[in-house]
Amino acid sequence: MTDNFGEEDVLPLFETKTAKGRAAYKLYCLIVLLGIVWIWVYRLVHIPGAGERGRYAWMAMFFAEVLFGVYWIITQACRWHVVYRYPFKDRLSTRYKDKLPGVDIFVCTADPTLEPPLLVINTVLSVMSYNYPSHKLGVFLSDDGCSELTFYALLEASKFSKYWIPFCKKYNVEPRAPEIYFAQNTDLNESNFARMDLYQDMKRRIDSAGAKGCIPEEIKDEHKGFSEWNSRITKQDHQSIVQDNRFRCVQYPQRYSNVTKNDVYANVSNATIQIELAGLDGFGGTLYIGTGCFHRRESVSGNYEKGTLWGKEMGLVYGCSVEDIVTGLTIQCRGWKPVYYNPTKIAFQGVGSTTLDVALIQFKRWSEGMFQIFLSKYCPLIYGHGKVKVGAQMGYCIYLLWAPVSLPTLFYVVIPALYLLHDVPLFPQVSSLWFVPFAYVFVARTAYSLVEDLMCGDTIYKQLGLSETSFAVTDKVVDDEVQKELGIWDHESLFFWPRGIGFVYGPNNYFWDDSYGEFASL
């Protein structure tokens, strides 16, 4: 009996499996690579002579195609050795039932306008309600915006948590964010209604303080923490404000609770989540994407940053708008082994971009920040040389090179069309054998991308741009494209709604009554 226990005690806690079909994929990569090489050969062999029309455009096309080919080779690092992790939960609970480690969870916010305090405290309340020993769970809110409104919302949340956390643990509530839970569960019993009333009361107080732009003086007098704020404090210039309100090794993909049917702003990134990040994990290069990530304390721990290596060799690496990526790279280069885990049950959910301008700003910041890393001393090809595998270095570069790859893409889209208008073709004729590698690479790459996206859960309609959307005439509350995406009708315009003997007519809620042959008020 002792021997059996000893054997159970040394069994692995998770299993790593390689994705199927890798041999066929490698053959596909080889054939596509041959096609790319033949395209390069065509450009070199048929380059126009000095003084001939289109010479410089031809040379620029060759340069763009070389960049495309090299970037495509780099992207194969994420698909060459894709692995998936499968934990044995029963072994984990048996072995560490009484030895679970302490966990500190950090919730970060920076702007009370773009990230409303109510949204922030819903996140805090959700993680406070985790099914984990309360004495081993610490939840911290880091507010770079230094907002007293956020601090006030946190105080309100601490009071509400006395009712919410026991409720969540007793009934195994999901989702644990109260705003989402009450929105999804309208059929509530009397006990649940009482908690919803408490939440709505708290919500009204927070919203009222936000509308006034200040915290009532009687509330400030109740808590000495508000004394830290004064008229000199701004978002950009403030001292460190630390309030001791503690609430009682691995990367998860970033998921969103507000993703719409057609996902017009590409929040989901199915291929990235299910294939690329898992492919990086195959080379031991799991990407730290800033949220849903567990670190061992030793991998980032330090005291106060002044006069220390904090921000350089310890903790988050400062000086870059995507500090998460460079922080993950430095941790790996110090010898820590990361893993990527994408569970069937979504572990964390956030809120994605809902308007075009916000989405563009987000991608712009990511692209600029990651290219900044590529040009810095933290470039994976230099900083990671000899410390992480070559496949992991290449995998990092896929994202770090987003910004520069846009330039040859723009050139390739615009220049051939302009030269064709002047009867200067930059591609071989269809009847030429040289047309074969161009056609093959295009068809093969497009077909594979379509198959990959379908395997990841996308639909062929979405890939071909044939999604079903409703019509919205004007922009009233949210962006016009979001209205189309969500299927929202503009209530101040004419619309039709079958209602038995007639239909609804806006904006004043009249309907046509067939029995009287006139419009009647609802």
Side-chain angles (χ1 to χ4, degrees), residues 90-281:
D90 53 340
R91 296 178 185 174
L92 180 65
S93 60
T94 300
R95 190 179 307 177
Y96 293 105
K97 180 170 57 176
D98 300 323
K99 302 177 183 178
L100 291 173
V103 175
D104 290 333
I105 300 178
F106 289 83
V107 179
C108 301
T109 184
D111 192 315
T113 301
L114 297 179
E115 298 170 334
L118 194 66
L119 176 67
V120 174
I121 65 168
N122 264 274
T123 303
V124 172
L125 287 167
S126 177
V127 296
M128 287 170 63
S129 307
Y130 276 170
N131 184 18
Y132 204 80
S134 59
H135 65 285
K136 293 188 176 183
L137 180 65
V139 181
F140 299 83
L141 175 63
S142 174
D143 179 18
D144 286 343
C146 194
S147 168
E148 65 175 355
L149 179 59
T150 301
F151 179 60
Y152 166 63
L154 191 63
L155 292 178
E156 289 283 358
S158 67
K159 299 175 184 177
F160 178 69
S161 67
K162 298 177 183 178
Y163 305 96
W164 180 248
I165 295 177
F167 170 68
C168 288
K169 293 189 174 184
K170 181 177 181 180
Y171 297 103
N172 195 24
V173 167
E174 290 187 10
R176 298 186 180 98
E179 182 76 20
I180 301 177
Y181 174 78
F182 290 128
Q184 294 181 357
N185 297 270
T186 56
D187 186 17
L188 303 175
N189 57 36
E190 184 176 348
S191 176
N192 291 354
F193 267 122
R195 289 175 178 82
M196 185 174 69
D197 288 341
L198 289 172
Y199 175 73
Q200 294 298 335
D201 289 341
M202 177 188 70
K203 183 177 179 179
R204 280 191 290 270
R205 290 192 295 271
I206 295 174
D207 287 342
S208 176
K212 295 177 181 177
C214 62
I215 310 300
E217 290 299 326
E218 61 271 18
I219 295 178
K220 288 185 176 182
D221 294 338
E222 292 177 4
H223 200 287
K224 64 179 181 180
F226 286 106
S227 63
E228 295 278 5
W229 277 269
N230 55 58
S231 59
R232 298 187 303 274
I233 288 181
T234 65
K235 176 182 176 182
Q236 291 77 20
D237 184 15
H238 61 83
Q239 79 276 17
S240 297
I241 298 177
V242 180
Q243 296 293 331
D244 188 11
N245 279 325
R246 291 191 55 172
F247 290 103
R248 307 286 193 243
C249 289
V250 182
Q251 176 66 64
Y252 291 83
Q254 191 165 5
R255 303 281 193 168
Y256 303 102
S257 60
N258 65 332
V259 174
T260 51
K261 179 181 178 182
N262 298 312
D263 189 25
V264 292
Y265 302 119
N267 288 318
V268 176
S269 303
N270 279 326
T272 299
I273 288 174
Q274 299 185 36
I275 297 178
E276 292 183 352
L277 296 181
L280 268 172
D281 192 19

Side-chain angles (χ1 to χ4, degrees), residues 42 125 147 271 392 402-403 435 450 519:
Y42 169 77
L125 287 167
S147 168
W402 269 356
F435 181 76
L450 180 61
F519 285 107

Side-chain angles (χ1 to χ4, degrees), residues 235-497:
K235 176 182 176 182
Q236 291 77 20
D237 184 15
H238 61 83
Q239 79 276 17
S240 297
I241 298 177
V242 180
Q243 296 293 331
D244 188 11
N245 279 325
R246 291 191 55 172
F247 290 103
R248 307 286 193 243
C249 289
V250 182
Q251 176 66 64
Y252 291 83
Q254 191 165 5
R255 303 281 193 168
Y256 303 102
S257 60
N258 65 332
V259 174
T260 51
K261 179 181 178 182
N262 298 312
D263 189 25
V264 292
Y265 302 119
N267 288 318
V268 176
S269 303
N270 279 326
T272 299
I273 288 174
Q274 299 185 36
I275 297 178
E276 292 183 352
L277 296 181
L280 268 172
D281 192 19
F283 290 106
T286 302
L287 205 66
Y288 173 32
I289 54 177
T291 187
C293 186
F294 286 88
H295 296 282
R296 285 186 181 272
R297 185 185 293 271
E298 293 83 357
S299 69
V300 295
S301 59
N303 293 321
Y304 292 97
E305 59 186 272
K306 187 175 181 180
T308 71
L309 294 177
W310 188 272
K312 298 177 181 178
E313 301 297 332
M314 295 184 297
L316 295 180
V317 178
Y318 301 156
C320 178
S321 58
V322 285
E323 70 284 343
D324 49 356
I325 303 293
V326 69
T327 297
L329 176 62
T330 57
I331 290 175
Q332 292 171 39
C333 289
R334 292 202 296 266
W336 291 92
K337 183 180 179 181
V339 295
Y340 175 72
Y341 180 46
N342 182 16
T344 303
K345 180 181 178 181
I346 297 177
F348 303 93
Q349 283 188 314
V351 178
S353 304
T354 56
T355 60
L356 180 59
D357 55 343
V358 173
L360 291 177
I361 291 173
Q362 181 78 293
F363 279 103
K364 177 178 177 290
R365 182 177 70 84
W366 287 341
S367 298
E368 288 180 347
M370 288 189 285
F371 189 47
Q372 180 184 355
I373 294 175
F374 185 81
L375 298 177
S376 72
K377 69 174 184 178
Y378 294 108
C379 176
L381 302 178
I382 300 174
Y383 188 77
H385 179 68
K387 301 174 184 176
V388 296
K389 296 181 180 179
V390 175
Q393 298 175 46
M394 295 171 62
Y396 268 99
C397 290
I398 294 175
Y399 309 102
L400 304 190
L401 294 176
W402 269 356
V405 166
S406 65
L407 298 179
T409 302
L410 180 63
F411 181 90
Y412 213 80
V413 169
V414 175
I415 298 303
L418 293 179
Y419 272 78
L420 188 61
L421 291 175
H422 293 84
D423 197 26
V424 181
L426 298 178
F427 292 98
Q429 296 182 356
V430 177
S431 58
S432 171
L433 287 177
W434 285 109
F435 181 76
V436 174
F438 284 91
Y440 172 75
V441 170
F442 173 78
V443 172
R445 283 288 295 114
T446 303
Y448 173 77
S449 296
L450 180 61
V451 171
E452 183 178 82
D453 285 337
L454 291 175
M455 291 173 59
C456 292
D458 283 338
T459 64
I460 193 169
Y461 288 98
K462 178 181 174 182
Q463 296 305 312
L464 296 179
L466 302 177
S467 58
E468 295 181 2
T469 58
S470 299
F471 179 70
V473 178
T474 58
D475 179 9
K476 290 294 186 297
V477 180
V478 293
D479 185 85
D480 186 60
E481 293 187 43
V482 177
Q483 288 188 342
K484 294 179 182 179
E485 170 67 11
L486 297 175
I488 298 176
W489 292 91
D490 176 11
H491 71 280
E492 292 188 7
S493 59
L494 176 66
F495 64 94
F496 300 90
W497 178 20

